[in-house]
């Protein structure tokens, strides 16, 4: 069987021939490197088993879609004419043939070594030179290959029959499908991601919270005379109204990759490079990321970050759904979570804010009040980011008459780690050197799975326009947390300007 993959995205086009097995990703860790920032280091593997072509997703961040369906678990059979989508914008068309047709020879990506249970290769075509002038290399090679296959097959049969084939430490077996024996495959739960690589870090920090339920949110009633605080007076009933309006049924295909989705180049992933530069600049200039809610409270008191209203006519904040009501704790990488004791500096900061949260009072000994404080602190935002979010939301509301759903703003490090604990695709933070985008106060996410394709295209076009104007950087994200990730410059200056 001859397997040809036609791989295309806006940056390149490749035609490759699968010999036995082919891994695809965005780095040299894969056999075939594809220029798509949305790919994991090792994203997808194709391999031949008997007379079938199989594909498996290596637990990639953005997934592998076979004919529009995201695949996971056991390898799936691929048939002639099937189409796959991987990364942010890469399409693959599969062509299977018996190998006898005369076609231009594509690029061949061969496996480093033969794998168990793989079929013997097609017979090699002899050279036009006279056979008596050369030793019978083809025959020798064929015999050697046959012996290798027999040996590997015997070893594999013995391992399978003993039931002890656990594979390498940390590996997981792929369950066998009926009528097919599948080799043991090593699947990296991070999709081959490197926690020291900011390209990976930005993608994998995008962990969704639990969806916010309006009935769990208390009204905000402030008496502060500060201009920015006056707009915080929002009721839970108005929040619920904005939620209903955002999810209002309307025509048009929805989802992660609806037909007709038009992704501008600006959202392909170049923003990763720009975000990397600006986050590094924030780190070097002395920005202190909030490690816990007490440090978020300090930034609120000092007006370093501003509180956003939980709902307005043109947007609502679906943030704080995972907020807990337990006592506040202090966090550091060296010591982890520690109880905040009365009389400590952090307890003093929390007490000060609880006594006058823009004129509203909370009791630190009341679990419900602690949860409401956490929700309000998660609505914090950088002053330069607030008008840009409003500009985008107002444009969307004017066009469609419904609010944007904002699914994350600023997070403390301990809250981000809490979210990671339930998400296999997120990194476990191990050091203070990294600055995840959402601890910077400059990032926000816009949910999109509930939007028809027309609305998604409108938002992307607006984001691309604002990016060209140097106001922000935006990325489109796929997978479970399908959203538009938006990053605002802390100093108002785009890299290179």
């Amino acid at each position: 069987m001859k397997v040809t993959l036609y791989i295309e995205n806006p940056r390149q086009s490749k035609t490759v021939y699968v010999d036995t097995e082919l891994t695809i990703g965005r780095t040299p860790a894969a056999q075939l490197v594809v220029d798509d920032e949305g790919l994991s280091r090792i994203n997808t593997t194709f391999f031949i088993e008997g007379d079938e072509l199989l594909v498996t997703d290596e637990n990639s961040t953005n997934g592998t879609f076979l004919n529009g369906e995201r695949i996971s678990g056991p390898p799936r059979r691929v048939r002639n004419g099937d189409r796959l989508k991987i990364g942010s914008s890469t399409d693959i068309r599969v062509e299977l043939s018996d190998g006898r047709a005369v076609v231009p020879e594509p690029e061949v990506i061969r496996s480093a070594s033969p794998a168990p249970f793989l079929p013997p290769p097609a017979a090699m075509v002899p050279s036009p030179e006279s056979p008596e002038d050369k030793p019978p290399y083809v025959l020798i090679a064929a015999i050697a290959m046959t012996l290798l296959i027999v040996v590997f097959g015997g070893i594999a049969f013995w391992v399978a029959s003993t039931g002890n084939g656990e594979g390498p430490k940390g590996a997981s077996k792929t369950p066998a499908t009926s009528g097919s024996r599948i080799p043991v495959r090593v699947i990296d739960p991070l999709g081959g991601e490197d926690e020291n690589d900011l390209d990976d870090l930005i993608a994998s920090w995008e962990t969704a919270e639990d969806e916010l339920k309006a009935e769990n949110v208390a009204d905000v009633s402030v008496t502060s005379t500060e201009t920015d605080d006056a707009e915080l007076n929002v009721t839970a009933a108005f929040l619920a109204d904005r939620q209903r309006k955002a999810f209002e049924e309307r025509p048009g295909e929805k989802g992660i990759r609806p037909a007709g989705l038009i992704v501008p180049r600006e959202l392909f992933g170049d923003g990763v490079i720009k975000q990397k530069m600006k986050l590094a600049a924030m780190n070097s200039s002395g920005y202190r990321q909030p490690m816990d809610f007490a440090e978020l409270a300090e930034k609120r008191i000092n007006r370093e970050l501003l509180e956003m209203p939980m709902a307005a006519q043109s947007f609502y904040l679906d943030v704080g759904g995972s907020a807990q009501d337990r006592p506040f704790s202090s966090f550091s990488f060296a010591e982890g979570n520690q109880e905040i004791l009365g009389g400590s500096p952090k307890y003093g900061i929390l007490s000060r804010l609880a006594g006058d949260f823009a004129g509203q009072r909370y009791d630190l000994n009341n679990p419900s009040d602690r949860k409401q404080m956490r929700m309000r602190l998660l609505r914090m935002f950088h002053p330069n980011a607030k008008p840009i979010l409003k500009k985008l939301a107002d444009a969307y509301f004017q066009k469609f008459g419904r609010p944007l759903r904002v699914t994350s703003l600023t997070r403390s490090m301990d809250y981000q780690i809490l979210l990671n604990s339930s998400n296999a695709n997120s990194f476990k933070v191990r050091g203070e050197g990294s600055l995840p985008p959402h601890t910077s106060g400059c990032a926000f996410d816009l949910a999109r799975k509930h939007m028809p394709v027309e609305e998604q295209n409108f938002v992307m076009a607006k984001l691309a326009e604002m990016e060209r104007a140097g106001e922000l950087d935006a990325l489109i994200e796929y997978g479970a947390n399908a959203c538009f990730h938006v990053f605002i410059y802390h100093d108002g200056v785009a890299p290179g300007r």
Side-chain angles (χ1 to χ4, degrees):
M1 178 174 63
K2 190 169 189 176
V3 178
T4 308
L5 305 181
Y6 299 94
I7 303 173
E8 291 187 0
N9 64 34
R11 299 184 182 183
Q12 63 184 167
S13 177
K14 287 177 175 283
T15 301
V16 298
Y17 166 47
V18 181
D19 181 26
T20 53
E21 180 172 317
L22 175 66
T23 58
I24 300 175
R26 82 160 194 280
T27 71
Q31 293 167 299
L32 178 65
V33 177
V34 174
D35 185 11
D36 183 339
E37 291 287 352
L39 292 173
S40 293
R41 291 173 173 269
I42 300 177
N43 198 96
T44 305
T45 301
F46 290 89
F47 62 101
I48 298 173
E49 168 70 19
D51 60 354
E52 294 182 344
L53 175 66
L54 301 174
V55 65
T56 187
D57 177 74
E58 302 294 352
N59 273 17
S60 64
T61 299
N62 291 325
T64 299
F65 293 79
L66 175 60
N67 298 324
E69 177 189 354
R70 183 166 186 166
I71 63 173
S72 62
R76 297 280 291 275
R77 183 178 180 182
V78 183
R79 294 174 171 79
N80 185 46
D82 279 353
R83 293 181 178 272
L84 296 97
K85 288 183 178 293
I86 58 176
S88 298
S89 55
T90 299
D91 296 305
I92 303 175
R93 179 170 62 85
V94 179
E95 182 179 284
L96 307 181
S97 64
D98 60 10
R100 290 177 293 187
V102 179
V103 295
E105 185 66 20
E107 177 184 355
V108 178
I109 309 295
R110 299 187 182 277
S111 306
S113 60
F117 310 115
L118 292 175
M124 299 172 64
V125 179
S127 156
E129 299 178 52
S130 173
E132 57 266 21
D133 295 337
K134 300 284 183 181
Y137 292 123
V138 174
L139 180 60
I140 294 171
I143 293 173
M145 185 60 72
T146 301
L147 289 173
L148 281 173
I149 291 170
V150 169
V151 170
F152 276 114
I155 293 172
F157 177 79
W158 178 81
V159 170
S161 63
T162 60
N164 294 322
E166 295 180 354
K169 183 179 180 181
S172 60
K173 294 185 190 178
T174 300
T177 57
S178 60
S180 175
R181 301 185 65 184
I182 308 299
V184 171
R185 310 184 63 75
V186 178
I187 295 182
D188 183 349
L190 294 180
E193 265 56 290
D194 178 359
E195 61 193 62
N196 296 313
D197 186 320
L198 191 55
D199 290 5
D200 288 342
L201 187 66
I202 287 173
S204 295
W205 272 111
E206 293 308 294
T207 311
E209 303 179 68
D210 291 339
E211 187 173 332
L212 187 69
K213 296 180 180 179
E215 60 266 28
N216 294 333
V217 181
D219 296 347
V220 175
S221 178
V222 305
T223 58
S224 170
T225 58
E226 293 281 351
T227 303
D228 291 319
D229 289 342
E231 62 185 359
L232 300 178
N233 285 298
V234 178
T235 65
F238 183 67
L239 171 65
D241 173 77
R242 296 292 82 193
Q243 286 181 314
R244 285 193 297 270
K245 191 66 177 176
F247 283 95
E248 186 177 60
E249 189 57 37
R250 58 263 197 196
E253 184 177 345
K254 305 176 184 67
I256 297 174
R257 298 177 187 265
L261 194 69
I262 303 172
V263 182
R265 286 193 60 85
E266 287 82 0
L267 274 72
F268 284 168
D270 292 343
V272 171
I273 300 171
K274 297 176 184 177
Q275 288 186 47
K276 180 187 297 186
M277 295 172 64
K278 299 306 289 190
L279 289 168
M282 291 184 73
N283 256 337
S284 62
S285 65
Y287 175 79
R288 188 164 60 91
Q289 58 187 327
M291 303 301 287
D292 49 48
F293 281 92
E295 294 187 6
L296 269 181
E298 186 176 18
K299 290 183 182 294
R300 173 66 173 82
I301 292 171
N302 295 335
R303 311 290 291 183
E304 185 178 348
L305 297 176
L306 301 178
E307 183 181 356
M308 294 287 288
M310 63 180 172
Q313 193 72 9
S314 61
F315 68 86
Y316 80 92
L317 306 184
D318 193 348
V319 301
S322 298
Q324 299 179 334
D325 61 7
R326 65 188 183 185
F328 288 102
S329 60
S330 176
F331 175 79
S332 70
F333 287 106
E335 299 179 358
N337 287 296
Q338 301 287 328
E339 181 183 358
I340 294 180
L341 301 176
S344 68
K346 287 191 174 181
Y347 189 87
I349 291 170
L350 288 167
S351 296
R352 179 182 169 189
L353 184 63
D356 183 9
F357 206 142
Q360 192 162 358
R361 296 179 61 87
Y362 295 94
D363 180 359
L364 291 181
N365 295 315
N366 184 312
S368 177
D369 280 8
R370 291 194 296 260
K371 183 170 183 175
Q372 296 305 317
M373 282 188 67
R374 282 186 169 95
M375 287 182 177
R376 287 187 64 179
L377 287 169
L378 290 168
R379 299 171 194 154
M380 306 294 289
F381 215 18
H382 194 283
N384 287 344
K386 181 178 177 179
I388 293 178
L389 170 57
K390 190 173 186 306
K391 177 181 177 180
L392 179 64
D394 287 351
Y396 174 78
F397 182 78
Q398 183 177 2
K399 176 72 173 177
F400 300 105
R402 55 184 58 89
L404 274 179
R405 179 184 172 212
V406 182
T407 51
S408 67
L409 290 175
T410 303
R411 296 169 178 172
S412 60
M413 184 64 78
D414 62 344
Y415 188 71
Q416 183 70 70
I417 292 172
L418 170 69
L419 298 179
N420 285 10
S421 65
S422 60
N423 184 345
N425 286 326
S426 293
F427 292 133
K428 308 301 180 285
V429 184
R430 297 176 184 171
E432 298 188 45
S434 64
L435 177 58
H438 288 292
T439 62
S440 72
C442 296
F444 62 95
D445 292 343
L446 303 174
R448 63 184 184 86
K449 285 188 288 187
H450 67 291
M451 292 183 181
V453 66
E454 178 189 4
E455 296 180 19
Q456 294 193 40
N457 286 339
F458 175 84
V459 173
M460 285 190 290
K462 187 65 178 178
L463 287 170
E465 173 191 316
M466 296 173 75
E467 181 164 335
R468 289 192 294 270
E471 298 177 77
L472 53 78
D473 276 304
L475 306 170
I476 183 171
E477 296 193 9
Y478 300 86
N481 188 36
C483 67
F484 302 119
H485 172 75
V486 185
F487 183 81
I488 307 299
Y489 308 123
H490 68 289
D491 53 6
V493 180
R497 295 201 176 198

